[in-house]
Amino acid sequence: MAGVDYEHGVVPQDQRRGWMSIAAVWIAIGIDLSGAFLGAALGAGLSFSSALAATMLGSLLLGVLAMFCARVGAATGLSTAMISRAVFGRAGGIVLTLMMTLSLTGWFAVQAGFFGTNLQIATRELVGVDLPTAVFVAGGGILMMLTAIWGYRSISSLSNVAVPLLLILLAVGVVRSLGDGRSANLSDPVDATFTFGGAVSLVMGIFVLGAVSSPDMARWARTPRAAMAAAFVGFFFGNSIIIVVALVMTRALKQEEIMQMFFTVGMGLSAVVVLVLAQWTTNSTNVYSAALSFSSISNRIDRRITTVVLGVTGIVIAALGTDWFVSFISAMGTMIAPFGGVYLATYLVERGSTRFAVEAEHPTLHVLPMLAWAVGILVSLATTKPSDGLGLGLFTLTTIPALDGLLVAFAVQTLLTMAVRRGTEVAA
């Protein structure tokens, strides 16, 4: 069964797993260098208490969002791409699938670039060898791609080994960074460069694509309740752990480079282990979900071949440079989060129907969900301050633009669906 991931159908019940195994995958995904960079940025741009509160609130909201998205995946047994077809229709689903594929491949490139840059630094510090960054990008990218080729089972096995080791190493790093009286540095004043709402939005945005695409993993859960438990634990802790670790170490050591901070506290080899495991688990999932999405377009598309093609593409992009990190995660929060609101509303309103059945016939396009998605994107753009990322800053709702777009898209889709249903009943 290796390599068989049911991209065109439902995961059989005898292949499904308990909530702890799935939660471990999401925790492993959340512990990555992008979270470390965000934690360092928040540490330099907000007071410690505000940065910590923003991290906890953003991760809490993300965990709640992931719970509901995961329930849809477990209840239907479908991947995110298959769900998009049920929601948007055949053509509309392809549009969303291509966007998800592009976004996830972009994330793969960003993470591979982080991996290469930081492993180059670590290798130079440990053994004095200064190899080109592209060598590490290619080597790491291939390693991540190979795990993804074997599918969810391989990713789950890797996560079960990596998570305990990562948690131990990160905890030791925090304890050491706070030694020698450095804990007093946490309260040092800084010039605020983030708004609180903007910081919360970035915390959500860094993993919001994972929450919205959580059905890719949740469909492996034995029950919807198990999927929801796994999602909350996995996303809340997975998203917050690395951000908090980087935040504490940045403030305590007065540095912003995560690898250098581990060397400062005498954990150079541990830094390499953390780097390799964190990026390996996270990026394998990025290219896995990208390939899973794209291969759902047609039964003739092989997921494993697609994994290789997208993986190589991501490696090339990473080797060319990925300086667009903050803008990228802001754009993902803007574009992807509203989609979650649309399919959640569709599932809740129409869960008694056959719409999400694998064998269901779908029209070319469902117009109303596409309209709701577009409205959600526009609201996210309108409520995002230009200083916080891609946006216009025209007005404020929750102060968290990614959440604004999701909630508005959810509301619009719910109202439109109910209005059409009521109109149909009246006409009858």
Side-chain angles (χ1 to χ4, degrees), residues 89-171:
R90 296 190 306 274
I94 289 175
V95 171
L96 192 283
T97 294
L98 292 175
M99 181 174 290
M100 294 286 288
T101 301
L102 178 62
S103 300
L104 288 161
T105 304
W107 267 119
F108 178 80
V110 169
Q111 299 286 1
F114 285 163
F115 178 88
T117 300
N118 284 274
L119 191 56
Q120 180 194 43
I121 295 171
T123 302
R124 185 172 62 240
E125 291 286 343
L126 280 175
V127 298
V129 177
D130 194 7
L131 296 174
T133 303
V135 173
F136 298 103
V137 169
I142 291 171
L143 183 69
M144 300 157 189
M145 188 170 60
L146 288 174
T147 305
I149 289 172
W150 287 99
Y152 174 82
R153 300 169 188 81
S154 178
I155 294 171
S156 178
S157 298
L158 175 62
S159 299
N160 289 335
V161 173
V163 167
L165 184 56
L166 283 170
L167 294 179
I168 291 171
L169 292 176
L170 292 173

Side-chain angles (χ1 to χ4, degrees), residues 211-235:
V212 173
S213 63
S214 62
D216 291 345
M217 303 298 169
R219 65 199 180 104
W220 291 87
R222 291 196 181 103
T223 65
R225 184 173 296 180
M228 293 177 76
F232 182 79
V233 172
F235 278 82

